[in-house]
Amino acid sequence: MLNALEVFTTVVVGLMVGVEFSVAFVINPILNALPEDSGQLGRAHGGRMLGAVMPFWYIGSLALSAVWAVAGWHHPGAGLVVIAGALLILSVIMSLLLLVPINNRGKTWTPENRPEDWKEQMIRWDRFHYIRVAVIIAAFTLLAAALA
């Protein structure tokens, strides 16, 4: 049963990493290259859509990692799982303090109501997001290493 939990947790976190990586390095660059207001409208829609799903994914990943750490405490790799869990906690804190406030504003913007500094706010969100992606990649790597 522990083996199934380990694999399931690693897959769930890995899929989350894939989504967030694609947002950072595929989706947002595409949206940024669109003409006129299309990119801003796409980011607002993405903020609404992913903003509804990702909190459950982040908390779920953290919960699965915590269960794995407790259930596998006396097994090899438990320390790696604990560190991965700490990194996932950091990613949640970063999200709540840095990214969610910007996202909550951005998902309501239209070309008619967006602030003058909307591009600067999106650049700030992107910078924080790159750091968060690095943190969750590190967590995923530690979980994968703990499988061995």
Side-chain angles (χ1 to χ4, degrees):
M1 189 66 157
L2 179 60
N3 190 29
L5 172 65
E6 294 168 347
V7 170
F8 183 71
T9 302
T10 305
V11 168
V12 168
V13 173
L15 290 170
M16 181 178 72
V17 166
V19 168
E20 295 291 34
F21 185 90
S22 72
V23 166
F25 298 104
V26 178
I27 304 300
N28 283 349
I30 289 170
L31 292 173
N32 292 341
L34 292 174
E36 299 175 17
D37 297 323
S38 300
Q40 185 264 308
L41 291 169
R43 277 182 170 259
H45 180 66
R48 288 187 298 273
M49 190 175 84
L50 290 173
V53 173
M54 297 314 287
F56 298 103
W57 211 336
Y58 273 83
I59 298 300
S61 295
L62 176 56
L64 286 167
S65 297
V67 171
W68 176 0
V70 170
W73 187 250
H74 297 292
H75 291 83
L80 297 175
V81 177
V82 170
I83 296 168
L87 290 172
L88 291 172
I89 290 170
L90 175 61
S91 74
V92 169
I93 291 169
M94 287 178 63
S95 297
L96 292 173
L97 296 180
L98 303 172
L99 291 119
V100 169
I102 298 170
N103 188 63
N104 284 344
R105 290 189 301 271
K107 68 185 181 182
T108 66
W109 293 340
T110 66
E112 294 78 31
N113 73 359
R114 66 186 179 210
E116 287 188 26
D117 71 338
W118 73 272
K119 286 184 182 179
E120 289 79 12
Q121 290 189 52
M122 291 297 95
I123 290 168
R124 189 176 319 116
W125 188 93
D126 287 343
R127 287 183 185 141
F128 292 143
H129 184 65
Y130 295 143
I131 296 166
R132 179 174 63 179
V133 168
V135 168
I136 63 175
I137 287 173
F140 172 69
T141 302
L142 290 169
L143 293 175
L147 286 173

